[in-house]
Amino acid sequence: MTAPAAGRSEATRVISLHQQLTAAQTALQRIAVLVACGATGAAVFNAVAKELGQLVGADTANIIRYETDGTATAVAAWSRSGTAIPVGTNMPLEGRNVAALVLRSGRSTRIDNFADAHGALAALIREHGIRSTVGAPIYVEGRLWGLVTASMMRDELLAPHAETRLADYTHLVAIAIANAQARADLAASRARTVIAADQARRRIERNLHDGVQQQLLALALQIRETQASVPPEMSEVREQLSAVTSGLTGTFDDLREISRGVHPAILSEGGLRPALRTLARRSCVAVDLSVHLDERLPEPVEVAAYYVVAETLANAIKHADASLVHVEAAICAGRLNLSIDDDGVGDVDPARGSGLIGLVDRVEALGGTITISSPAGQGTHIRAELPIQRWDLSLDRLDRVDTGIATATDVSASARTRVVGETSRTVLPE
């Protein structure tokens, strides 16, 4: 090769290397932005699979998580042709495959030909048309979490050391996983705090109802019996006993109201629908209540929804100067949706210290969202969404999974109540 030709070849190699480095840096920047913005694990995983697959020139790429039962699960997938091992695929690790090799060695590896590879996963790989694969481990806080793979569906092999290039970028996946876990731990901690407080309130309510209230009631009955046995000529004593009985009755009523404020018994006994009806009937402002619920909801969701409505009605009475409040509760897409609108003066700012700020904390602690709109002179409008999940109320462990509750259009039972002060008209479905 002549000197000029050699120079051109070296220049071409340098340019190619520079382009590869630029592409790698650009890919890293895009992934880093996702991680820094707190994107969900799924969004980061899919972005990483795509970026790393394209970076090494692969036809398809996956991020795979090791499970405690000795299998592995695809949590992200990308393919140039749209054909890849789908997200959610659970794979056994016996036989010869990249996932098993990485698990055993803890290092990057590659398989350039699956023709003779054995095992269920190797068969699945051949079924998807994959000819060769490279893989790099993902370590999270020093523990082998999973791996990222890049594969070819053509006879052409990936470049030498492609698995090493993958390993250079898996730390971003580890950061995303650690961030997602930290957010999940924080959310679980907030939820445990809310649930623990609600459980304590319920215990106080039960103690008041089963203890002090019953004692006051028994004492009032005893005094009435004593009053009945007093001779008519001792009218002054009878009047004194009557006053004591009236005082006990008033104390009993006050204690009952305090007990309801601590935790409404009707919520535990009957659920959200009757609890909201009771709130509406007792409200000093007219309430147009529409409830679409087919069954009981998880207790934390019911409690949160109850207090959202209760605090909003209290705000409408104390601060909004409202004459009517519209309240609607319905299930849609696995979430409880609350809509509360009043015709008051508006201009409510939770930051100024109203009870609404506590509602934001309560709803967000359960993984929900709440928005408050209160333009001056146009009333206050609150929208809250709470995910319908089954909650393990043990304070040592908090798990949430979908309950599969039907959407609002599938709900067969609904109620619409028009309440004005203590009078109401309720229409229930047949």
Side-chain angles (χ1 to χ4, degrees), residues 28 52 108 136 161-172:
L28 281 173
L52 295 188
S108 301
H161 309 301
E163 63 274 25
T164 304
R165 293 189 67 192
L166 284 182
D168 291 339
Y169 306 115
T170 55
H171 67 282
L172 284 173

Side-chain angles (χ1 to χ4, degrees), residues 78-323:
W78 167 82
S79 174
R80 294 182 189 276
S81 62
T83 302
I85 296 178
V87 171
T89 301
N90 185 255
M91 302 165 277
L93 295 179
E94 71 271 7
R96 185 170 180 266
N97 56 77
V98 168
L101 293 175
V102 170
L103 179 62
R104 286 194 289 267
S105 68
R107 298 192 299 270
S108 301
T109 190
R110 66 189 296 151
I111 293 179
D112 288 335
N113 192 335
F114 283 98
D116 298 325
H118 60 281
L121 180 52
L124 177 66
I125 289 171
R126 287 193 294 269
E127 179 183 328
H128 281 82
I130 294 174
R131 305 293 184 87
S132 61
T133 297
V134 299
I138 299 172
Y139 284 91
V140 178
E141 297 179 349
R143 180 180 63 87
L144 182 58
W145 180 89
L147 74 157
V148 57
T149 64
S151 305
M152 296 294 285
M153 305 179 74
R154 297 163 285 167
D155 291 333
E156 178 184 351
L157 297 179
L158 288 166
H161 309 301
E163 63 274 25
T164 304
R165 293 189 67 192
L166 284 182
D168 291 339
Y169 306 115
T170 55
H171 67 282
L172 284 173
V173 187
I175 293 173
I177 294 169
N179 287 349
Q181 185 61 51
R183 288 195 298 272
D185 290 344
L186 177 59
S189 176
R190 293 178 66 189
R192 282 194 296 269
T193 300
V194 169
I195 291 171
D198 289 338
Q199 289 178 334
R201 293 163 69 102
R202 186 172 58 180
R203 284 193 296 269
I204 293 172
E205 183 274 329
R206 286 178 177 174
N207 290 338
L208 289 174
H209 180 272
D210 298 339
V212 179
Q213 286 182 265
Q214 298 306 315
Q215 293 172 13
L216 287 174
L217 183 60
L219 185 58
L221 291 174
Q222 290 176 4
I223 294 175
R224 287 187 184 279
E225 291 176 358
T226 302
Q227 181 184 8
S229 66
V230 173
E233 62 270 16
M234 301 179 64
S235 59
E236 185 176 349
V237 174
R238 293 173 65 92
E239 290 175 0
Q240 290 175 349
L241 291 175
S242 178
V244 172
T245 302
S246 298
L248 284 174
T249 302
T251 302
F252 179 85
D253 292 339
D254 291 343
L255 187 60
R256 181 169 54 189
E257 288 303 314
I258 292 172
S259 176
R260 287 170 178 168
V262 170
H263 185 88
I266 191 172
L267 183 62
S268 300
E269 296 167 0
L272 187 58
R273 183 190 296 190
L276 292 183
R277 287 177 177 171
T278 301
L279 273 179
R281 281 196 298 270
R282 292 176 180 165
S283 173
C284 298
V285 64
V287 177
D288 183 18
L289 177 66
S290 179
V291 181
H292 307 271
L293 297 176
D294 196 32
E295 61 182 53
R296 289 293 301 268
L297 304 178
E299 183 180 357
V301 176
E302 288 189 335
V303 173
Y306 176 88
Y307 282 115
V308 167
V309 176
E311 181 61 36
T312 304
L313 288 178
N315 179 77
I317 295 169
K318 295 178 182 178
H319 309 295
D321 193 25
S323 61

Side-chain angles (χ1 to χ4, degrees), residues 295 298 333-335 386-391 399-406:
E295 61 182 53
R335 302 174 75 85
L386 288 160
I388 305 301
Q389 299 159 322
R390 297 204 186 280
W391 298 75
D399 290 334
R400 298 175 291 175
V401 295
D402 292 338
T403 61
I405 292 178

